[in-house]
Amino acid sequence: MSKSSIAVGHGIQSLFGTRDQNLRILERSLGITANLSPNTLEIEGSEAQVRRADEIIADYLALLSDGHRFSNGDVRDFLRVATADPEISFKGLVESSRQRMCGRKPVTPRSLNQLRYLEAMERSDMVFGVGPAGTGKTYLAVAFAISALLGKHVQRIVLARPAVEAGERLGFLPGTLQQKVDPYLRPLYDALQDLLEAERVERSLANGTIEVAPLAFMRGRSLNESFIILDEAQNATAEQMKMFITRLGFGSKAAITGDITQIDLPAGKRSGLIEAIDVLSDVQGVRFVDFNEHDVVRHGLVQRIVRAYDRYNANQLKPPSSRGERRQKQPAPD
């Protein structure tokens, strides 16, 4: 066992969080014990983990000295990422987040897998984000697309989603075609409006800089200098998935997001996302990032619900036979 002692002062109190919740994150993640007195913070645990805690705290104090100001939520998220991987520098993580301005707000990874997802989109032309609801797959993809558009790395953003609940046959619904499909595309609009001013969203939609459309509308197109997102990809058929991923043109990137435990396709139709996982797993330039309940950034209850479904289905289902099916055996709530 090892122990270190840090004087409490010079802004370190802001690290602790409301009711010392950030100290509890350090304790749980690193397997240490943190004892706080009026003048001293004592850390006890294995030598490597105590050293890691000291490094994180030293980085935090250095950032404060450099003039960086944190919200409590920022500190919590940075700690979760930094304590998940000993190779990640707390200071480097914070400084890299400053560079990720996506529209009107910075986007900070709130888990190690979210960081890997952002890095994958920076380095690869096609990225699959696969995992349960609430893990930020779609939001981060839209944020990255906006960053690429504003930085003039692409000329437009194309957002697509299967309108599978209506079987891609929307004629029986009232209204114009756009009014028929808008309910299925609403989550994409929500992400856009959270990251950009409403007027800019409307202007970009009107001039075609940003396009939001059902997956069926992608057929026959070749999309150059675009950032293309397919959301809810588990509801694309195998034929639709192949059609979509072959739309990628020169200077373009694609992000495909989905939760294979939430498939709404008719019985007998295999999910194109599951097939793509099996077919493309070894293709150079394609990256897969798996999310789990630890990446859920919604209400804490959502994490517990995801874990409960995982336990339930682990007891109900037999071992899968393929990589894609192995993912499908881990249900999560909508």
Side-chain angles (χ1 to χ4, degrees), residues 294-309:
H294 300 297
D295 304 302
V296 173
V297 292
R298 293 180 181 170
H299 193 290
L301 178 59
V302 177
Q303 284 188 334
R304 298 193 292 275
I305 290 171
V306 172
R307 286 195 294 268
Y309 270 86

PDB file of all heavy atoms in Angstrom, residues 294-309:
ATOM      1  N   HIS A 294     -22.045   1.891 -19.396  1.00  0.00           N
ATOM      2  CA  HIS A 294     -21.176   2.863 -18.733  1.00  0.00           C
ATOM      3  C   HIS A 294     -21.081   4.164 -19.519  1.00  0.00           C
ATOM      4  O   HIS A 294     -20.630   5.186 -18.988  1.00  0.00           O
ATOM      5  CB  HIS A 294     -19.781   2.276 -18.532  1.00  0.00           C
ATOM      6  CG  HIS A 294     -19.770   1.033 -17.702  1.00  0.00           C
ATOM      7  ND1 HIS A 294     -20.167   1.024 -16.388  1.00  0.00           N
ATOM      8  CD2 HIS A 294     -19.450  -0.249 -18.011  1.00  0.00           C
ATOM      9  CE1 HIS A 294     -20.073  -0.215 -15.907  1.00  0.00           C
ATOM     10  NE2 HIS A 294     -19.645  -0.993 -16.874  1.00  0.00           N
ATOM     11  N   ASP A 295     -21.489   4.132 -20.787  1.00  0.00           N
ATOM     12  CA  ASP A 295     -21.427   5.319 -21.628  1.00  0.00           C
ATOM     13  C   ASP A 295     -22.735   6.096 -21.641  1.00  0.00           C
ATOM     14  O   ASP A 295     -22.818   7.151 -22.274  1.00  0.00           O
ATOM     15  CB  ASP A 295     -21.077   4.917 -23.069  1.00  0.00           C
ATOM     16  CG  ASP A 295     -19.784   4.138 -23.153  1.00  0.00           C
ATOM     17  OD1 ASP A 295     -18.754   4.680 -22.710  1.00  0.00           O
ATOM     18  OD2 ASP A 295     -19.796   2.990 -23.637  1.00  0.00           O
ATOM     19  N   VAL A 296     -23.767   5.587 -20.980  1.00  0.00           N
ATOM     20  CA  VAL A 296     -25.072   6.255 -20.979  1.00  0.00           C
ATOM     21  C   VAL A 296     -24.947   7.595 -20.273  1.00  0.00           C
ATOM     22  O   VAL A 296     -24.462   7.679 -19.141  1.00  0.00           O
ATOM     23  CB  VAL A 296     -26.144   5.384 -20.304  1.00  0.00           C
ATOM     24  CG1 VAL A 296     -27.448   6.153 -20.142  1.00  0.00           C
ATOM     25  CG2 VAL A 296     -26.387   4.114 -21.120  1.00  0.00           C
ATOM     26  N   VAL A 297     -25.386   8.663 -20.951  1.00  0.00           N
ATOM     27  CA  VAL A 297     -25.247  10.011 -20.397  1.00  0.00           C
ATOM     28  C   VAL A 297     -26.611  10.636 -20.112  1.00  0.00           C
ATOM     29  O   VAL A 297     -26.725  11.840 -19.959  1.00  0.00           O
ATOM     30  CB  VAL A 297     -24.427  10.921 -21.336  1.00  0.00           C
ATOM     31  CG1 VAL A 297     -22.998  10.451 -21.386  1.00  0.00           C
ATOM     32  CG2 VAL A 297     -25.021  10.958 -22.742  1.00  0.00           C
ATOM     33  N   ARG A 298     -27.640   9.833 -20.045  1.00  0.00           N
ATOM     34  CA  ARG A 298     -28.948  10.319 -19.654  1.00  0.00           C
ATOM     35  C   ARG A 298     -29.099  10.145 -18.138  1.00  0.00           C
ATOM     36  O   ARG A 298     -28.128   9.956 -17.412  1.00  0.00           O
ATOM     37  CB  ARG A 298     -30.039   9.561 -20.418  1.00  0.00           C
ATOM     38  CG  ARG A 298     -30.033   9.854 -21.914  1.00  0.00           C
ATOM     39  CD  ARG A 298     -31.121   9.097 -22.645  1.00  0.00           C
ATOM     40  NE  ARG A 298     -31.070   9.372 -24.080  1.00  0.00           N
ATOM     41  CZ  ARG A 298     -31.773   8.706 -24.982  1.00  0.00           C
ATOM     42  NH1 ARG A 298     -32.583   7.731 -24.610  1.00  0.00           N
ATOM     43  NH2 ARG A 298     -31.673   8.999 -26.268  1.00  0.00           N
ATOM     44  N   HIS A 299     -30.319  10.170 -17.685  1.00  0.00           N
ATOM     45  CA  HIS A 299     -30.617   9.992 -16.267  1.00  0.00           C
ATOM     46  C   HIS A 299     -29.942   8.720 -15.755  1.00  0.00           C
ATOM     47  O   HIS A 299     -29.876   7.705 -16.456  1.00  0.00           O
ATOM     48  CB  HIS A 299     -32.140   9.880 -16.106  1.00  0.00           C
ATOM     49  CG  HIS A 299     -32.613  10.009 -14.691  1.00  0.00           C
ATOM     50  ND1 HIS A 299     -32.382   9.044 -13.738  1.00  0.00           N
ATOM     51  CD2 HIS A 299     -33.309  10.990 -14.072  1.00  0.00           C
ATOM     52  CE1 HIS A 299     -32.929   9.414 -12.600  1.00  0.00           C
ATOM     53  NE2 HIS A 299     -33.491  10.597 -12.773  1.00  0.00           N
ATOM     54  N   GLY A 300     -29.409   8.767 -14.522  1.00  0.00           N
ATOM     55  CA  GLY A 300     -28.735   7.608 -13.954  1.00  0.00           C
ATOM     56  C   GLY A 300     -29.581   6.349 -13.972  1.00  0.00           C
ATOM     57  O   GLY A 300     -29.060   5.231 -14.042  1.00  0.00           O
ATOM     58  N   LEU A 301     -30.902   6.512 -13.915  1.00  0.00           N
ATOM     59  CA  LEU A 301     -31.784   5.358 -13.957  1.00  0.00           C
ATOM     60  C   LEU A 301     -31.640   4.589 -15.263  1.00  0.00           C
ATOM     61  O   LEU A 301     -31.794   3.355 -15.291  1.00  0.00           O
ATOM     62  CB  LEU A 301     -33.239   5.809 -13.778  1.00  0.00           C
ATOM     63  CG  LEU A 301     -34.319   4.724 -13.835  1.00  0.00           C
ATOM     64  CD1 LEU A 301     -34.098   3.675 -12.765  1.00  0.00           C
ATOM     65  CD2 LEU A 301     -35.701   5.358 -13.701  1.00  0.00           C
ATOM     66  N   VAL A 302     -31.315   5.297 -16.366  1.00  0.00           N
ATOM     67  CA  VAL A 302     -31.176   4.627 -17.657  1.00  0.00           C
ATOM     68  C   VAL A 302     -30.038   3.615 -17.606  1.00  0.00           C
ATOM     69  O   VAL A 302     -30.147   2.503 -18.145  1.00  0.00           O
ATOM     70  CB  VAL A 302     -30.962   5.652 -18.786  1.00  0.00           C
ATOM     71  CG1 VAL A 302     -30.734   4.950 -20.122  1.00  0.00           C
ATOM     72  CG2 VAL A 302     -32.152   6.586 -18.886  1.00  0.00           C
ATOM     73  N   GLN A 303     -28.918   3.970 -16.964  1.00  0.00           N
ATOM     74  CA  GLN A 303     -27.817   3.019 -16.821  1.00  0.00           C
ATOM     75  C   GLN A 303     -28.284   1.762 -16.097  1.00  0.00           C
ATOM     76  O   GLN A 303     -27.956   0.640 -16.499  1.00  0.00           O
ATOM     77  CB  GLN A 303     -26.668   3.653 -16.048  1.00  0.00           C
ATOM     78  CG  GLN A 303     -25.845   4.635 -16.840  1.00  0.00           C
ATOM     79  CD  GLN A 303     -24.609   5.064 -16.066  1.00  0.00           C
ATOM     80  OE1 GLN A 303     -24.587   5.028 -14.827  1.00  0.00           O
ATOM     81  NE2 GLN A 303     -23.584   5.471 -16.778  1.00  0.00           N
ATOM     82  N   ARG A 304     -29.049   1.942 -15.032  1.00  0.00           N
ATOM     83  CA  ARG A 304     -29.494   0.782 -14.263  1.00  0.00           C
ATOM     84  C   ARG A 304     -30.473  -0.072 -15.065  1.00  0.00           C
ATOM     85  O   ARG A 304     -30.486  -1.294 -14.956  1.00  0.00           O
ATOM     86  CB  ARG A 304     -30.118   1.251 -12.942  1.00  0.00           C
ATOM     87  CG  ARG A 304     -29.120   1.996 -12.051  1.00  0.00           C
ATOM     88  CD  ARG A 304     -29.624   2.172 -10.637  1.00  0.00           C
ATOM     89  NE  ARG A 304     -30.753   3.089 -10.542  1.00  0.00           N
ATOM     90  CZ  ARG A 304     -30.630   4.411 -10.440  1.00  0.00           C
ATOM     91  NH1 ARG A 304     -29.426   4.973 -10.464  1.00  0.00           N
ATOM     92  NH2 ARG A 304     -31.695   5.177 -10.328  1.00  0.00           N
ATOM     93  N   ILE A 305     -31.304   0.586 -15.886  1.00  0.00           N
ATOM     94  CA  ILE A 305     -32.235  -0.158 -16.739  1.00  0.00           C
ATOM     95  C   ILE A 305     -31.467  -0.989 -17.760  1.00  0.00           C
ATOM     96  O   ILE A 305     -31.775  -2.167 -17.991  1.00  0.00           O
ATOM     97  CB  ILE A 305     -33.208   0.809 -17.440  1.00  0.00           C
ATOM     98  CG1 ILE A 305     -34.188   1.403 -16.416  1.00  0.00           C
ATOM     99  CG2 ILE A 305     -33.974   0.110 -18.559  1.00  0.00           C
ATOM    100  CD1 ILE A 305     -35.045   2.525 -16.969  1.00  0.00           C
ATOM    101  N   VAL A 306     -30.438  -0.386 -18.384  1.00  0.00           N
ATOM    102  CA  VAL A 306     -29.647  -1.116 -19.372  1.00  0.00           C
ATOM    103  C   VAL A 306     -29.003  -2.336 -18.731  1.00  0.00           C
ATOM    104  O   VAL A 306     -29.016  -3.437 -19.297  1.00  0.00           O
ATOM    105  CB  VAL A 306     -28.575  -0.190 -19.994  1.00  0.00           C
ATOM    106  CG1 VAL A 306     -27.628  -0.987 -20.882  1.00  0.00           C
ATOM    107  CG2 VAL A 306     -29.232   0.918 -20.797  1.00  0.00           C
ATOM    108  N   ARG A 307     -28.435  -2.170 -17.542  1.00  0.00           N
ATOM    109  CA  ARG A 307     -27.799  -3.308 -16.860  1.00  0.00           C
ATOM    110  C   ARG A 307     -28.822  -4.389 -16.535  1.00  0.00           C
ATOM    111  O   ARG A 307     -28.525  -5.582 -16.652  1.00  0.00           O
ATOM    112  CB  ARG A 307     -27.097  -2.831 -15.589  1.00  0.00           C
ATOM    113  CG  ARG A 307     -25.806  -2.074 -15.840  1.00  0.00           C
ATOM    114  CD  ARG A 307     -24.977  -1.958 -14.573  1.00  0.00           C
ATOM    115  NE  ARG A 307     -25.636  -1.128 -13.578  1.00  0.00           N
ATOM    116  CZ  ARG A 307     -25.442   0.184 -13.457  1.00  0.00           C
ATOM    117  NH1 ARG A 307     -24.615   0.801 -14.280  1.00  0.00           N
ATOM    118  NH2 ARG A 307     -26.058   0.875 -12.528  1.00  0.00           N
ATOM    119  N   ALA A 308     -30.018  -3.986 -16.116  1.00  0.00           N
ATOM    120  CA  ALA A 308     -31.054  -4.959 -15.796  1.00  0.00           C
ATOM    121  C   ALA A 308     -31.440  -5.783 -17.019  1.00  0.00           C
ATOM    122  O   ALA A 308     -31.603  -7.005 -16.942  1.00  0.00           O
ATOM    123  CB  ALA A 308     -32.286  -4.255 -15.217  1.00  0.00           C
ATOM    124  N   TYR A 309     -31.593  -5.119 -18.172  1.00  0.00           N
ATOM    125  CA  TYR A 309     -31.900  -5.853 -19.407  1.00  0.00           C
ATOM    126  C   TYR A 309     -30.760  -6.785 -19.790  1.00  0.00           C
ATOM    127  O   TYR A 309     -30.981  -7.908 -20.260  1.00  0.00           O
ATOM    128  CB  TYR A 309     -32.189  -4.864 -20.542  1.00  0.00           C
ATOM    129  CG  TYR A 309     -33.644  -4.485 -20.651  1.00  0.00           C
ATOM    130  CD1 TYR A 309     -34.166  -3.445 -19.892  1.00  0.00           C
ATOM    131  CD2 TYR A 309     -34.487  -5.161 -21.509  1.00  0.00           C
ATOM    132  CE1 TYR A 309     -35.500  -3.088 -19.984  1.00  0.00           C
ATOM    133  CE2 TYR A 309     -35.834  -4.817 -21.611  1.00  0.00           C
ATOM    134  CZ  TYR A 309     -36.332  -3.776 -20.847  1.00  0.00           C
ATOM    135  OH  TYR A 309     -37.659  -3.440 -20.944  1.00  0.00           O
TER     136      TYR A 309
END
